[in-house]
Amino acid sequence: MTPSARLQAAIEILTGLEARSTPADRLLRDWFRARRYAGSKDRAAIGEFVFTILRHRASFGWRMGGDESPRALVLAALLAEGKSPADVAALFDGGKYGPPPLSDAETARLSTPPSGEPPLYVQGEFPAFLESELVRAFGTDLIAETRALCARAPVDLRVNTLKAAREDVLCALRGDGVAAGETPYSPIGIRIAGERLATDLRRSALFESGAIEFQDEAAQIAAILCAAKPGERICDLAAGAGGKSLALAAAMENKGEIVACDVAAQRLARIGPRAARAGATIITPCLMNHGLPTGAFDAVLIDAPCSGSGTWRRQPELKWRTSPEWLAGLAAVQRRLLADGAKLVRPGGRLIYATCSVLPGENEDRVAEFLARNPQFRVLPAGPVWQVAVPRRVWPVAGDKFRASPYATGTDGFFACVMTNAGGPGA
């Protein structure tokens, strides 16, 4: 593909992302599958260019006078690469397979940078309407935190202790030439350095044998905070495809019972094959359309549907799909899950509320609201819970709740709060 054809491809892909909710990596995969003429170098270059634009859409749009159309964003991205307006015009020459020539307005914008200091949302590369919420989350570290959320994320693995020890997995990875090291906090985590593709690892014998799973260190920490013990009865109330259930099964040494609940049968269907590969036989899927599971549980984990703002490094498109209306709908789901989860926790049992979000409106606000309505629950400080679960391991944050971010902890953004039912059945 010519350089101009690559630019037109990027414009088409960005246009497709605006029109549907498909994750960016999946849309890129599907786009290239339908266009076999694109070689590996074309795929890599176009994919990298598209993700750069998604990470920097606010500043690119600001550079183009507030125009955030796919074409305008591509023009700004070229300027950010160091190309001159004349260089850009040469690429937009109307040639075969390339984009149409520049309009007079585009030419003017390329030659006239905006004046004045960029607003905070531009400096931090986030939607303008989230500014006050992100200030609540990060305070004076706002720009450092949000810029860290623009960086490329590492590949983190969780060692499945039902199948292997971390030391053995590290040895095997390094023997295959993978630059792998221990995660700083999770005792079962491995971080892959460099540009090793996750797709390569998914084809490895370690993955196929069930010795490793892909899971960010922050999510591993949240699972450890459940303090699951062998023989307990645990409910994973928003289990999705079962990543946390698998981690809990390993922590429980595959002894006890895990009921993995979700409203989507398609997601639940993935748990069976994953559990079989992991050697986890204690997980029972439960479709929530048929009501809540019966009986009381020692612990209930609610890894609630959320904005995914903590995963912006991996899915930068999520930033620009976020809206006040969507957040309001998610809040209603989060409230309902907390109310349902409270009904399932035995007296003295644990309720763990978690999200992969950095927004207080999805985290601290939900917990405070829940505690006000359910006075029989109280917060268990996360640090002591961690120290009992994994003695002699460093606790990464201050405060009684787990709040993680790329800038503060080097992980995805994450939140978890551990509560106990101190007074009987939930309200």
Side-chain angles (χ1 to χ4, degrees), residues 331-332 334-336 338 361 363-375:
Q334 292 155 5
R335 290 188 188 99
R336 186 174 68 248
L338 275 164
N363 298 334
E364 290 89 349
D365 290 359
R366 289 288 77 73
V367 170
E369 182 182 77
F370 170 78
L371 291 173
R373 293 178 177 175
N374 297 268

Side-chain angles (χ1 to χ4, degrees), residues 10-11 21 46 50-51 120 126 146 189 199 233 262 271 284 290 332 356 365 367:
I11 292 170
S21 60
I46 293 167
V50 166
F51 268 89
L120 283 178
F126 56 81
T146 51
T199 49
R233 189 168 191 249
D262 205 88
I271 293 179
T284 302
H290 302 313
C356 55
D365 290 359
V367 170

Side-chain angles (χ1 to χ4, degrees), residues 329-381:
L330 288 169
V333 174
Q334 292 155 5
R335 290 188 188 99
R336 186 174 68 248
L337 284 169
L338 275 164
D340 287 344
K343 299 171 186 175
L344 299 173
V345 182
R346 67 164 175 81
R350 307 176 302 282
L351 177 64
I352 302 92
Y353 176 74
T355 73
C356 55
S357 173
V358 298
L359 305 179
E362 299 187 279
N363 298 334
E364 290 89 349
D365 290 359
R366 289 288 77 73
V367 170
E369 182 182 77
F370 170 78
L371 291 173
R373 293 178 177 175
N374 297 268
Q376 74 275 23
F377 281 85
R378 62 180 177 84
V379 173
L380 291 177

Side-chain angles (χ1 to χ4, degrees), residues 32-362:
F32 287 121
R33 278 181 177 172
R35 294 160 179 83
R36 296 292 184 180
Y37 55 81
S40 59
K41 291 183 179 180
D42 296 318
R43 295 194 297 271
I46 293 167
E48 180 68 21
F49 191 64
V50 166
F51 268 89
T52 296
I53 290 171
L54 293 173
R55 296 182 195 282
H56 300 283
R57 173 172 159 170
S59 59
F60 289 172
W62 185 73
R63 175 59 183 83
M64 295 302 292
D67 185 354
E68 295 187 4
S69 67
R71 182 176 164 98
L73 295 173
V74 166
L75 293 173
L78 293 170
L79 292 176
E81 290 180 347
K83 291 183 170 56
S84 68
D87 295 333
V88 176
L91 291 166
F92 281 68
D93 63 356
K96 190 176 182 181
Y97 305 122
L102 299 177
S103 67
D104 292 342
E106 288 171 334
T107 300
R109 284 176 183 162
L110 289 174
S111 303
T112 312
S115 59
E117 184 76 8
L120 283 178
Y121 79 89
V122 170
Q123 295 179 49
E125 302 288 0
F126 56 81
F129 85 93
L130 282 177
E131 183 173 315
S132 62
E133 183 73 348
L134 289 168
V135 168
R136 283 181 67 201
F138 299 131
T140 56
D141 287 332
L142 171 67
I143 299 304
E145 289 277 9
T146 51
R147 285 180 176 171
L149 280 163
C150 290
R152 187 191 297 270
V155 174
D156 282 0
L157 307 173
R158 177 181 61 78
V159 175
N160 174 19
T161 53
L162 297 178
K163 291 287 189 82
R166 179 163 70 170
E167 294 75 14
D168 295 334
V169 173
L170 280 169
C171 183
L173 287 169
R174 291 165 179 166
D176 288 339
V178 180
E182 297 181 356
T183 48
Y185 306 114
S186 169
I188 51 174
I190 290 174
R191 181 157 294 159
I192 306 299
E195 298 294 321
R196 186 71 178 223
L197 294 176
T199 49
D200 294 339
L201 292 170
R202 288 187 188 278
R203 300 189 190 103
S204 69
L206 284 169
F207 181 77
E208 291 178 354
S209 70
I212 57 172
E213 288 283 345
F214 290 86
Q215 191 172 56
D216 183 77
E217 185 181 22
Q220 296 178 36
I221 292 171
I224 291 170
L225 287 174
C226 293
K229 303 174 186 66
E232 287 193 322
R233 189 168 191 249
I234 309 291
C235 179
D236 186 353
L237 197 54
K244 300 290 192 313
S245 291
L246 293 174
L248 294 172
M252 296 165 66
E253 300 174 8
N254 204 34
K255 300 171 185 175
E257 180 185 11
I258 298 171
V259 180
C261 305
D262 205 88
V263 295
Q266 186 175 9
R267 286 196 294 264
L268 280 178
R270 294 174 58 191
I271 293 179
R274 294 183 72 186
R277 187 178 68 243
T281 61
I282 63 172
I283 302 172
T284 302
C286 173
L287 188 61
M288 289 279 283
N289 293 346
H290 302 313
L292 294 174
T294 58
F297 291 84
D298 297 292
V300 175
L301 168 62
I302 301 170
D303 189 5
C306 67
S307 64
S309 53
T311 68
W312 283 349
R313 296 187 302 172
R314 303 176 193 279
Q315 297 177 286
E317 71 276 10
L318 289 180
K319 291 185 193 182
W320 318 113
R321 292 172 176 170
T322 305
S323 69
E325 297 77 17
W326 186 46
L327 290 176
L330 288 169
V333 174
Q334 292 155 5
R335 290 188 188 99
R336 186 174 68 248
L337 284 169
L338 275 164
D340 287 344
K343 299 171 186 175
L344 299 173
V345 182
R346 67 164 175 81
R350 307 176 302 282
L351 177 64
I352 302 92
Y353 176 74
T355 73
C356 55
S357 173
V358 298
L359 305 179
E362 299 187 279

